[in-house]
Amino acid sequence: MSLNSTAFSHPPFLLLIGIPGLEKEQFWIAFPFCIMYAIAVLGNIALLLIIMAEPSLHEPMYLFLAMLAFTDLVLSTSTLPKMLGIFWLGYGEIGFLCCLAQLFFIHTFSSVESGVLMAMALDRYIAICHPLRHSSILSVPVVVALESLVLVRGVLLVSPLCFLLHRMPFCQHHVISHSYCEHMAVVKLVCGDTRVNVIYGLFVAFIVIGSDMILISVSYTMILRVVMRLSSAEARLKAFSTCASHVCVILAFYVPALFTFLTHRFGQSIPPPVHIMVANLYLLVPPVLNPIVYGVRTKKLWDRVV
């Protein structure tokens, strides 16, 4: 093999440096991250076990919630253990194929999370705006089909990103200025023309985030119109409270996701520590919040615990 071909083959290992500019502080930053990860794992496993064990909870809302809990477990577990290894042990080496696998799980299940949040918004819309038709429209087979479609969408859209990167030539620079293998962070190590990667990445983000956010916005707009027409002030307040908590969870997912996505492409003036911290929290805050907001605040689910 020639020197030139060796220089442009993809490396056996890449090096994740954690949070650029905060290398000395990473050891202490890891402690709240570890606590949040523990809460996310315990909370989401508890939700899954309760929903699986209780036949009365095998309804659309709780089946979507179970899918969300599973997605959150995959998202947080695909990043946090490695991240803590970097922060506490300085072990930033990751095999190239392991990096692609991490990238696949992160982006696939981010897409799945977005799809499940969209499906949950549609479920709330049908339950509030068409309550008599809810069980016929969203039967269990329809819910399972929706969840399967969301998962297949994520796999089909993200797989080409991994295949494209696997075929790309990499230079001698193997250091990723990030805490995990994010698509655009890895693309920056490529020597060749990356326009296809960038354009396809934009296409995936537009298809997933764009379409899901539009459907969520329309669903909650229709819900608010119905809620505003309720005659009882107490009923309106209860509905607003429920919608507000759900919207907070949705914003906690989409705002950091959009910030991270746009910063990689257009936000060169954003300090790297700010960008990477937001990117880390984007994969950790929703898995912590979802069991609290959807689990603790849902009376039927909470009754099964107490």
Side-chain angles (χ1 to χ4, degrees):
M1 186 178 286
S2 67
L3 287 173
N4 194 46
S5 63
T6 303
F8 287 89
S9 63
H10 45 69
F13 293 96
L14 297 171
L15 185 66
L16 293 161
I17 64 171
I19 306 173
L22 294 177
E23 287 85 356
K24 291 181 180 178
E25 292 81 7
Q26 284 178 172
F27 181 85
W28 301 108
I29 292 171
F31 285 97
F33 275 36
C34 185
I35 293 168
M36 291 171 74
Y37 177 55
I39 294 169
V41 169
L42 293 173
N44 285 294
I45 287 177
L47 269 183
L48 275 173
L49 292 176
I50 293 166
I51 293 168
M52 287 170 62
E54 182 55 56
S56 68
L57 296 178
H58 296 172
E59 300 173 2
M61 177 182 174
Y62 302 104
L63 294 175
F64 286 133
L65 186 54
M67 182 71 166
L68 191 67
F70 174 74
T71 303
D72 285 337
L73 282 171
V74 175
L75 267 181
S76 54
T77 302
S78 63
T79 52
L80 260 294
K82 179 62 182 176
M83 201 183 295
L84 294 175
I86 298 167
F87 292 175
W88 275 334
L89 306 174
Y91 188 67
E93 261 193 9
I94 184 169
F96 181 76
L97 293 179
C98 290
C99 183
L100 289 186
Q102 188 186 55
L103 185 154
F104 172 80
F105 280 109
I106 290 168
H107 291 291
T108 295
F109 281 89
S110 291
S111 167
V112 171
E113 176 124 358
S114 177
V116 174
L117 289 173
M118 177 268 294
M120 291 175 81
L122 288 176
D123 171 62
R124 290 300 84 204
Y125 161 71
I126 295 169
I128 292 171
C129 300
H130 304 283
L132 299 178
R133 299 174 59 199
H134 182 255
S135 58
S136 60
I137 295 172
L138 278 182
S139 60
V140 171
V142 170
V143 170
V144 172
L146 263 176
E147 291 181 336
S148 302
L149 191 64
V150 164
L151 181 59
V152 169
R153 180 189 71 167
V155 171
L156 291 181
L157 286 175
V158 174
S159 294
L161 293 175
C162 300
F163 289 126
L164 283 169
L165 277 173
H166 191 267
R167 294 171 61 85
M168 285 287 176
F170 283 73
C171 300
Q172 294 297 323
H173 178 57
H174 300 155
V175 178
I176 302 175
S177 298
H178 213 301
S179 305
Y180 54 83
C181 291
E182 198 273 343
H183 175 243
M184 283 306 297
V186 179
V187 165
K188 289 176 182 176
L189 305 184
V190 172
C191 282
D193 187 352
T194 60
R195 278 179 297 180
V196 174
N197 300 69
V198 173
I199 292 168
Y200 185 72
L202 286 167
F203 167 75
V204 170
F206 176 77
I207 290 293
V208 173
I209 297 178
S211 61
D212 290 351
M213 284 186 72
I214 289 168
L215 285 169
I216 288 170
S217 301
V218 170
S219 296
Y220 276 100
T221 301
M222 300 296 286
I223 288 169
L224 287 173
R225 285 180 63 186
V226 171
V227 168
M228 290 297 290
R229 290 201 294 264
L230 292 174
S231 56
S232 167
E234 186 181 347
R236 282 201 303 271
L237 186 62
K238 185 179 178 181
F240 273 127
S241 175
T242 303
C243 287
S245 61
H246 290 189
V247 169
C248 285
V249 168
I250 290 165
L251 291 175
F253 175 76
Y254 282 111
V255 171
L258 285 170
F259 176 86
T260 303
F261 172 76
L262 294 172
T263 300
H264 261 307
R265 289 158 178 82
F266 313 111
Q268 284 75 22
S269 60
I270 303 291
V274 174
H275 174 203
I276 305 305
M277 277 294 287
V278 172
N280 292 343
L281 292 171
Y282 144 63
L283 294 180
L284 190 54
V285 171
V288 173
L289 278 182
N290 290 341
I292 296 170
V293 172
Y294 288 115
V296 175
R297 286 180 61 88
T298 303
K299 187 179 185 300
K300 191 173 178 181
L301 194 60
W302 186 241
D303 288 345
R304 295 297 179 277
V305 179
V306 297

